[in-house]
Amino acid sequence: VVGISIDGTAAQEALDAAAPGETVTIPLVRTQPDYTEAGENGLLYQDLLSQCVTYISGSSGRLSNVNLAAEKCNGTVLLPGDVFDYNKTVGQRTTEAGFKSAPAYYMGQTVNEIGGGICQMSSSLYYCTVYANLKVVTRSNHRYAVGYVPDGLDATVSWGGPEYRFKNDTDYPIKIVAFTEGRNLTVQFYGSNPDGIYVQTERQRLSTTDYTTVYQPDESIPRGSTKEEVTPYTGRKTQVYRCVYAADGTLISRTLENVSNYSFRDRVILYNPADAASLGLAPAETPPVESAPPAESVPPAENTP
């Protein structure tokens, strides 16, 4: 139980100094309970508030980064009122910190970056935040839709922003459990749910934007073959509602959680120009060669300042 008290001496001095009819403000002192003994005795974290299990695809570097991010978040305890900050918890992604190079999004392109893949951990945390009915402080969706969580339940992060933060706005402490087994990432929130409430989400796709396939000539591509240079993404707009239910199934609240806009990205195929006809493409145009102007029309060179 949170304790509430006042400084009696300071309160009396404020009252004595007040004029007749004047309003006096006396601050309350809140004392948070010590959960250490209760946690050690197994009295806390008895309820599984939410859980997210996802598959870690991609390179060994990406797998290593996700595992390291999980290790840094595992065991975090949030007391009532505490705010979890993903970037502060995981730290800057550097090779010195143990992170490796792996694919990540940058300016709409897929590039190798130190710490690539850790958004899978932040997205799993956001998923658990929603289903544990906790307050989201700041969250941004990815530029392109991800495949490891449903649309609208991802959270992208980067050092320096965007950020992901959430608040324990319950009356009980919460513990984060995160670990990997093989290529599976598991994130769990444990706490106390005496009323037995639970959350379901309603996800609605509002629109989609299809990608197109773009062919680009490249003489380095062997004849008779093609190469996918850029993988495509279908654009879509999704809205998510958070629906909170009582233990008996009665709907308590239905609120808009977010509206997420995911961009499309065209598919780019490289081909040998000699294969244009077989692919049904027009021959690649060769830029015209411009002849040099007559010598007398060339202006005199300017002096370098």
Side-chain angles (χ1 to χ4, degrees):
V1 177
V2 177
I4 299 177
S5 62
I6 62 172
D7 185 332
T9 301
Q12 187 62 57
E13 291 176 352
L15 290 170
D16 291 342
E22 181 183 354
T23 299
V24 176
T25 300
I26 301 172
L28 295 175
V29 179
R30 296 181 180 271
T31 305
Q32 294 291 339
D34 182 0
Y35 295 103
T36 304
E37 183 177 352
E40 292 176 349
N41 292 335
L43 301 177
L44 297 176
Y45 320 121
Q46 294 189 17
D47 297 324
L48 177 62
L49 306 180
S50 56
Q51 174 175 271
C52 181
V53 180
T54 57
Y55 179 78
I56 308 168
S57 62
S59 65
S60 59
R62 188 178 188 279
L63 174 62
S64 177
N65 293 335
V66 174
N67 180 69
L68 182 55
E71 290 179 351
K72 290 179 177 293
C73 294
N74 183 49
T76 300
V77 172
L78 301 174
L79 298 181
D82 284 354
V83 173
F84 177 88
D85 187 311
Y86 185 76
N87 272 340
K88 286 185 178 179
T89 302
V90 174
Q92 188 170 2
R93 275 66 83 180
T94 63
T95 55
E96 291 78 12
F99 290 99
K100 299 181 179 180
S101 179
Y105 295 142
Y106 178 75
M107 301 295 290
Q109 303 298 319
T110 302
V111 298
N112 282 325
E113 184 178 84
I114 301 300
I118 65 163
C119 287
Q120 185 158 347
M121 181 63 199
S122 58
S123 296
S124 298
L125 288 168
Y126 176 57
Y127 183 103
C128 286
T129 301
V130 172
Y131 282 95
N133 197 32
L134 301 175
K135 181 179 180 179
V136 177
V137 177
T138 179
R139 169 262 177 189
S140 301
N141 62 270
H142 285 78
R143 184 185 185 110
Y144 306 115
V146 300
Y148 43 78
V149 292
D151 290 354
L153 291 177
D154 62 302
T156 185
V157 292
S158 181
W159 188 254
E163 309 277 354
Y164 178 63
R165 303 187 186 97
F166 70 91
K167 181 178 182 179
N168 177 10
D169 56 347
T170 74
D171 295 329
Y172 306 95
I174 291 174
K175 177 184 285 187
I176 298 174
V177 175
F179 58 91
T180 59
E181 288 182 330
R183 281 193 170 265
N184 288 325
L185 168 66
T186 299
V187 178
Q188 301 168 323
F189 284 8
Y190 283 92
S192 299
N193 185 11
D195 298 325
I197 66 169
Y198 62 94
V199 171
Q200 292 183 349
T201 58
E202 295 179 6
R203 300 184 299 277
Q204 303 168 355
R205 182 169 295 180
L206 303 178
S207 63
T208 59
T209 305
D210 293 332
Y211 66 86
T212 59
T213 299
V214 179
Y215 287 88
Q216 292 184 356
D218 187 329
E219 293 184 351
S220 68
I221 302 299
R223 293 193 59 177
S225 64
T226 59
K227 176 184 177 182
E228 185 178 68
E229 181 71 6
V230 177
T231 56
Y233 290 99
T234 299
R236 40 198 187 245
K237 183 177 182 180
T238 302
Q239 68 180 9
V240 178
Y241 283 88
R242 185 190 301 199
C243 303
V244 182
Y245 293 87
D248 62 0
T250 302
L251 179 64
I252 299 174
S253 63
R254 179 179 181 269
T255 57
L256 179 64
E257 176 68 24
N258 68 66
V259 176
S260 298
N261 288 283
Y262 301 98
S263 301
F264 75 94
R265 187 168 76 175
D266 287 337
R267 185 187 189 198
V268 177
I269 301 294
L270 303 182
Y271 70 97
N272 191 293
D275 293 329
S278 63
L279 295 172
L281 303 173
E285 294 184 358
T286 302
V289 179
E290 297 184 358
S291 59
E296 58 271 20
S297 65
V298 178
E302 297 180 355
N303 293 327
T304 304

